[in-house]
Amino acid sequence: MAVTALAALHRKLFDETDGSKFARLKERLIKKHATDDRLAVLDILTAYARDGQLLHWRSFLMSDIVHLVEGSQHAAFFAWALEQPALAYWAVDGLLKSTGVDAYAPLVALAASGATSLDVRAKAIKSLAVFSRQPFDQGLPSDPGHWKAEQLRLSAVLGWQADGYPDGAGYKAPARHYSLAQPLSRLEKAAAFLERQLALRRQREQDLAQPSNWLTLASAEDMAAIDAHWVLPEIYRRFLEWYSPLRVHVDGKRFPQGLHLYGAAELVKAQHGYSVHAVHQHNIAGWLPKLVVIADAGGDPYCVPLEERSIDGDLPVYRATHGTGEWRFELHTDDFIDFLNEIALAV
């Protein structure tokens, strides 16, 4: 019965001309048959990638094929796909997954080829970096489709090839304050709660070449730059010094536009467009000078005051809506720690 059903799905996939219906058939094929008949499903998908009539789906199927592949049985398919412009992007990962270090030479050649599209060349370098633990992708966007031509570190890749493709050391996780493991104060407990929530997100998606959603130790240089601009409220300054957000971005019902929580390295520059003109560096009229923007949600600033304190030593957080012609600040919370807990619940 399973073989009959699989054969029927095979025929339907190759006969279907409607993209939406094809997508549903493909999902049914994978969900119902990939566990017990993985190789048969792979044969169907690879055959469609070679000869299917919906050209865009030939490309879209590649990520499913790469996901399902185990071992080297489909190495020849990926070697062929690497030469097809529409399939080459995901063929990079398929060749690495199926042949390991034997994929290095053809992928370096692909990265060096001026006849290959930029996104495929970048993908080859990114995947080589991940597989070999070499830093060819350090500090670059996690998605190689966003790389620019000048960001292709081809000389480093070619030097690595000349050295015989040695394994690299990989990336270390960002340094974190010890109190995240043993929090005592209210601030420490709030930071530890936020860190635990961020860690769950990092388990789902993380690229240590461009780490995101971490609370890290701020550098002395960044804190000195901040101190040169303001005398920050002590609790917020301590938060930045001990738990500086590193590309922390959360979204969901609480922050439908997505909230970006600033870290020590970006705090000064983050005032541009709010209190400071980004180009001419002069103060912008209409901004309350004692407010420092610590986060934004879709451009709406969240700020702490430089001179205001609550009785327990915490400080309020204010919010305003951008694009209204003037800034009208409203109290968002009278407790910065409550703001951190709100962000943690939104992760």
Side-chain angles (χ1 to χ4, degrees), residues 334-346:
D334 57 8
D335 189 333
F336 172 69
I337 289 177
D338 284 347
F339 182 54
L340 294 180
N341 288 329
E342 179 185 11
I343 294 170
L345 292 171

Side-chain angles (χ1 to χ4, degrees), residues 33-232:
H33 300 285
T35 300
D36 296 327
D37 296 293
R38 183 181 59 83
L39 290 177
V41 170
L42 274 169
D43 286 343
I44 294 171
L45 296 179
T46 55
Y48 200 97
R50 287 181 181 273
D51 301 311
Q53 60 179 323
L54 295 178
L55 299 182
H56 63 290
W57 269 107
R58 292 169 63 178
S59 174
F60 292 162
L61 289 178
M62 290 296 293
S63 60
D64 292 308
I65 294 170
V66 172
H67 177 72
L68 290 173
V69 159
E70 296 176 7
S72 60
Q73 283 183 300
H74 293 83
F77 166 77
F78 291 118
W80 168 83
L82 205 65
E83 298 177 353
Q84 314 306 311
L87 307 182
Y89 190 91
W90 287 110
V92 167
D93 287 341
L95 195 65
L96 276 168
K97 188 174 181 181
S98 58
T99 66
V101 297
D102 289 338
Y104 285 176
L107 293 185
V108 171
L110 188 73
S113 172
T116 303
S117 63
L118 175 60
D119 64 327
V120 174
R121 297 175 70 194
K123 175 64 173 175
I125 294 175
K126 174 67 178 181
S127 295
L128 285 169
V130 173
F131 197 91
S132 68
R133 297 170 57 83
Q134 289 286 351
F136 308 135
D137 56 346
Q138 188 169 30
L140 298 179
S142 297
D143 183 351
H146 296 154
W147 292 13
K148 299 177 182 178
E150 59 270 22
Q151 293 175 316
L152 299 180
R153 293 167 179 157
L154 190 57
S155 60
V157 173
L158 293 174
W160 169 68
Q161 182 182 53
D163 289 339
Y165 307 116
D167 287 339
Y171 297 106
K172 294 182 179 179
R176 296 180 294 166
H177 196 269
Y178 68 88
S179 63
L180 289 173
Q182 295 181 319
L184 297 175
S185 70
R186 288 185 67 232
L187 175 62
E188 292 171 8
K189 291 177 180 178
F193 176 45
L194 176 55
E195 164 60 20
R196 288 196 299 272
Q197 298 299 100
L198 293 174
L200 293 175
R201 173 168 288 193
R202 296 197 301 266
Q203 288 177 6
R204 299 191 297 270
E205 182 179 1
Q206 186 61 202
D207 181 358
L208 287 178
Q210 182 81 330
S212 59
N213 291 312
W214 292 82
L215 299 183
T216 69
L217 289 169
S219 72
E221 293 78 9
D222 288 335
M223 294 308 300
I226 288 170
D227 292 340
H229 277 78
W230 310 285
V231 177
L232 292 178

Side-chain angles (χ1 to χ4, degrees), residues 155-335:
S155 60
V157 173
L158 293 174
W160 169 68
Q161 182 182 53
D163 289 339
Y165 307 116
D167 287 339
Y171 297 106
K172 294 182 179 179
R176 296 180 294 166
H177 196 269
Y178 68 88
S179 63
L180 289 173
Q182 295 181 319
L184 297 175
S185 70
R186 288 185 67 232
L187 175 62
E188 292 171 8
K189 291 177 180 178
F193 176 45
L194 176 55
E195 164 60 20
R196 288 196 299 272
Q197 298 299 100
L198 293 174
L200 293 175
R201 173 168 288 193
R202 296 197 301 266
Q203 288 177 6
R204 299 191 297 270
E205 182 179 1
Q206 186 61 202
D207 181 358
L208 287 178
Q210 182 81 330
S212 59
N213 291 312
W214 292 82
L215 299 183
T216 69
L217 289 169
S219 72
E221 293 78 9
D222 288 335
M223 294 308 300
I226 288 170
D227 292 340
H229 277 78
W230 310 285
V231 177
L232 292 178
E234 177 58 29
I235 195 167
Y236 178 59
R237 189 188 184 284
R238 188 181 309 128
F239 171 75
L240 283 180
E241 185 178 18
W242 289 2
Y243 317 116
S244 177
L246 179 61
R247 300 183 189 89
V248 170
H249 186 274
V250 301
D251 49 27
K253 293 182 179 180
R254 294 173 184 266
F255 303 104
Q257 299 182 82
L259 180 131
H260 176 199
L261 184 62
Y262 302 154
E266 59 190 328
L267 186 67
V268 173
K269 190 175 181 179
Q271 309 308 305
H272 292 175
Y274 295 110
S275 61
V276 179
H277 192 283
V279 177
H280 302 294
Q281 301 295 303
H282 61 70
N283 293 333
I284 296 177
W287 183 267
L288 297 178
K290 296 302 182 181
L291 288 180
V292 176
V293 186
I294 64 170
D296 78 84
D300 294 347
Y302 290 78
C303 311
V304 294
L306 292 175
E307 296 181 344
E308 191 171 347
R309 304 288 191 281
S310 61
I311 295 175
D312 62 358
D314 208 336
L315 76 159
V317 176
Y318 294 92
R319 178 182 177 274
T321 301
H322 78 290
T324 62
E326 62 178 323
W327 292 112
R328 297 181 179 178
F329 292 95
E330 298 179 350
L331 182 67
H332 181 72
T333 175
D334 57 8
D335 189 333

